[in-house]
Structures are given as C-alpha cells and as structure tokens.
Amino acid sequence: SDAGTLKRIDYSLIKGGITVADQWRVTANITANADPISSNLERIDTTGQGTIGTAMSESSGIFTFPSTGIYLVSYNAFCSSVAGGDNVGMELKVTTDNSSYATISYNYDGNDSFNTNSISGNSLIDVTDTSNVKVSFSAVSITAGSYFYGDTTGTTSNETYFTFIRLGDT
C-alpha cells in the first residue's frame, strides 16, 4: 500500500527563502530637508556586503520594486543635531497609484545640544503592482548645522541607508 507515502514534492516549498534582499546608502551628508532624498544614493558594493536577486531601481529618489510580494522596507539614519532644541527626522513614504505618497513610518531624534543619534523605522509593503507601488524616503526638520551622515570618506560604509527584503508572495 502507498498510504502515507509522499508521492510528489512541490519544489517551490523546498526552494522557498528570500528572493530579493537589497540595500542602498547615502554617500554625502544631507544638510537640508529633502522630500524625497534623491541624490548621492548608491547600491551597496563594498567587499563583504551582498545582495540577493534583482536590484531595486531608483530614479529621482523613488524606489521601484523588482517583483511583486510582501517586502520589509527599513531605514537607518545616523544624524547630528545642533544646540537649541533642534531635531531631525526620517520618513518612509509609499504610493499605490504611482502618484500620491503617504507617510507610513517616521522617527525623529535630537532636541539637545550637539547630539549624534541613530534613528530607524520600517514597514511591510504589499507590492501588488510594480508599476504603481513604490517607496521614497524623506529627510525632514533639518535646520542649519544639523544633518544626516552620508559616507563622505569613500562610500564604503552604511551610515544612512535603506534595506529592502522580499519576505513572500502578496
């Protein structure tokens, strides 16, 4: 009798795993508000760093996903705030119609004299259509003397950076 015998193995169940993992970083300090952050961006490329699958694409600060699915999108921002109660903020925005963006994650830090801080945030993004569902990041509440760090010494390390991981199907 064949009762209880596995007749067929679904290869997609075995293969599984993450099919997209990508990371981008800022390569120069951000010294003024930017909505979206659209310059001095590069995909990670330092020896020892790695990615999986097809890269995210970026144009004028708008990130396009390579395939549909549920993605974990996160940001980490290393920042410095000046004296006088200034704070700095980072926002993650999403559009589902390739037009109107909504802030879905934001964090601020600072408010004391000459602080250096790290702020981070994330959200799960349901990418049902790669032409319409896109994300961007904004630097906000930056006054003179405050900034987000970008790697200005050779673009080899992540100081302010964005991570994209496809977790599974939508």
Side-chain angles (χ1 to χ4, degrees):
S1 164
D2 288 75
T5 303
L6 183 61
K7 298 245 185 229
R8 182 179 74 87
I9 297 175
D10 187 340
Y11 181 70
S12 67
L13 292 176
I14 293 173
K15 181 179 174 190
I18 292 172
T19 58
V20 175
D22 203 8
Q23 203 168 57
W24 290 66
R25 65 176 155 232
V26 176
T27 61
N29 291 347
I30 301 170
T31 59
N33 293 345
D35 184 14
I37 298 168
S38 60
S39 60
N40 302 308
L41 296 167
E42 76 166 4
R43 189 177 190 219
I44 60 166
D45 60 359
T46 304
T47 301
Q49 291 181 311
T51 60
I52 297 172
T54 303
M56 295 289 294
S57 59
E58 180 272 330
S59 177
S60 300
I62 306 302
F63 286 87
T64 300
F65 296 90
S67 58
T68 60
I70 303 294
Y71 285 76
L72 174 62
V73 177
S74 62
Y75 57 87
N76 192 56
F78 184 34
C79 54
S80 179
S81 58
V82 297
D86 183 38
N87 63 14
V88 292
M90 181 71 62
E91 297 180 349
L92 167 60
K93 297 183 176 187
V94 68
T95 180
T96 57
D97 63 7
N98 195 29
S99 177
S100 301
Y101 282 80
T103 300
I104 56 172
S105 176
Y106 64 91
N107 284 285
Y108 291 78
D109 208 338
N111 282 338
D112 281 321
S113 56
F114 300 104
N115 273 336
T116 55
N117 308 292
S118 285
I119 57 177
S120 61
N122 64 66
S123 188
L124 296 172
I125 308 295
D126 187 1
V127 182
T128 56
D129 179 340
T130 59
S131 297
N132 287 313
V133 180
K134 300 178 182 187
V135 295
S136 67
F137 303 89
S138 297
V140 298
S141 189
I142 300 176
T143 61
S146 295
Y147 57 92
F148 284 105
Y149 287 87
D151 183 3
T152 59
T153 61
T155 62
T156 60
S157 65
N158 295 356
E159 292 177 356
T160 296
Y161 56 94
F162 316 117
T163 304
F164 309 86
I165 300 172
R166 185 181 183 279
L167 300 174
D169 295 338
T170 181

